[in-house]
Amino acid sequence: MGVKLESSWLELLGDQFEQDYFKKIKAELIQEKKKGERIFPPGPLIFNAFDSCPVEDTKVVIMGQDPYHNPGQAHGLSFSVPQGLPPPPSLVNIFKELTDDLHLPMPTHGNLESWAAQGVLLLNSSLTVRAFNAGSHFYLGWEKFTNTAIERLSQRKKHIVFMLWGNPARKKKSLIDPQGEHLILEAVHPSPLSAYRGFLGCRHFSSANDFLQATGQEPIDWQLPD
């Protein structure tokens, strides 16, 4: 796994690649591949969330847990799937909330690249997963890397919206610098197991845009292009 990262994130996080925990992640991934394990997303897309959303462009952070573990789904952006694949259940619930909150038509696909291009960092806590084994890399050490990203981003910039959905994401709240005057939006996870306990109806998308406009930033166009 060669480490290539968008330049502003490399400046912010480059020191992490020399840490022992990161060397362990790299060694473990190489070992699993030697054993014939399939790992998602493909190597060039592991850091896609960062590559698609430079530090200075970041206005919103949506935290996921780990990549989709079925073939073809994961492409390095939390909750997103490539064009042509049906949106998974959690993303369907995200779209339900989005359309209800902002009175938009239901998206016809699940590719969220247009959000990333506008400054939405679609970040998973763990950046890889073993095929057909959800959570299999959650304790590999990725969380140290992504926690550092959240902490440093929140120190570097002001007025970011952090959408923390589900208990693992909500634990990140303590990493967010209170001096940054950020907006932290919390809810249960959009999974079908929990969405009806407070995700649906949370109105996070309109709240995010209200905050962005109030702080002199362009709101996100949440409508996905066909």
Side-chain angles (χ1 to χ4, degrees):
M1 182 189 71
V3 176
K4 296 180 181 179
L5 198 62
E6 188 275 332
S7 59
S8 64
W9 285 107
L10 185 62
E11 187 270 327
L12 198 65
L13 298 172
D15 64 316
Q16 297 300 294
F17 299 140
E18 302 305 317
Q19 300 295 318
D20 287 343
Y21 84 85
F22 195 91
K23 292 177 181 178
K24 181 186 174 188
I25 293 173
K26 189 172 180 179
E28 290 279 351
L29 292 177
I30 291 170
Q31 193 63 28
E32 286 198 10
K33 287 184 178 180
K34 284 182 179 178
K35 291 178 180 178
E37 297 284 358
R38 297 177 68 186
I39 296 171
F40 301 136
L45 296 178
I46 288 174
F47 297 102
N48 194 22
F50 301 106
D51 294 336
S52 301
C53 188
V55 171
E56 295 310 316
D57 294 345
T58 302
K59 299 189 286 189
V60 178
V61 178
I62 297 181
M63 285 300 307
Q65 296 180 15
D66 64 341
Y68 295 123
H69 58 269
N70 289 324
Q73 290 183 314
H75 65 143
L77 304 177
S78 63
F79 296 107
S80 181
V81 291
Q83 206 98 1
L85 292 181
S90 291
L91 185 54
V92 169
N93 283 331
I94 291 171
F95 288 164
K96 286 180 181 177
E97 175 57 26
L98 173 67
T99 58
D100 186 51
D101 185 10
L102 298 178
H103 308 293
L104 297 173
M106 181 66 72
T108 58
H109 62 84
N111 189 327
L112 306 182
E113 288 176 347
S114 69
W115 292 2
Q118 297 178 74
V120 181
L121 181 66
L122 296 161
L123 185 61
N124 281 313
S125 289
S126 176
L127 299 187
T128 59
V129 69
R130 198 179 306 127
F132 311 113
N133 193 348
S136 49
H137 287 172
F138 203 73
Y139 299 103
L140 200 62
W142 279 123
E143 198 164 15
K144 292 182 181 178
F145 184 80
T146 54
N147 282 356
T148 301
I150 293 167
E151 195 167 29
R152 292 183 179 178
L153 175 66
S154 74
Q155 293 167 350
R156 173 67 63 91
K157 291 199 69 186
K158 285 184 179 290
H159 304 140
I160 296 173
V161 180
F162 289 87
M163 296 186 183
L164 308 180
W165 300 335
N167 289 334
R170 294 171 88 165
K171 289 178 181 176
K172 311 292 187 190
K173 185 176 181 179
S174 62
L175 301 168
I176 299 169
D177 187 355
Q179 302 303 314
E181 301 173 28
H182 305 297
L183 175 64
I184 300 173
L185 300 173
E186 299 181 67
V188 298
H189 195 272
S191 160
L193 297 175
S194 56
Y196 290 92
R197 298 202 304 269
F199 178 79
L200 297 175
C202 68
R203 302 291 185 262
H204 282 183
F205 298 101
S206 58
S207 297
N209 277 356
D210 289 346
F211 177 80
L212 292 174
Q213 290 180 296
T215 52
Q217 303 177 77
E218 283 291 318
I220 304 297
D221 179 3
W222 296 104
Q223 178 63 48
L224 298 181
D226 290 332

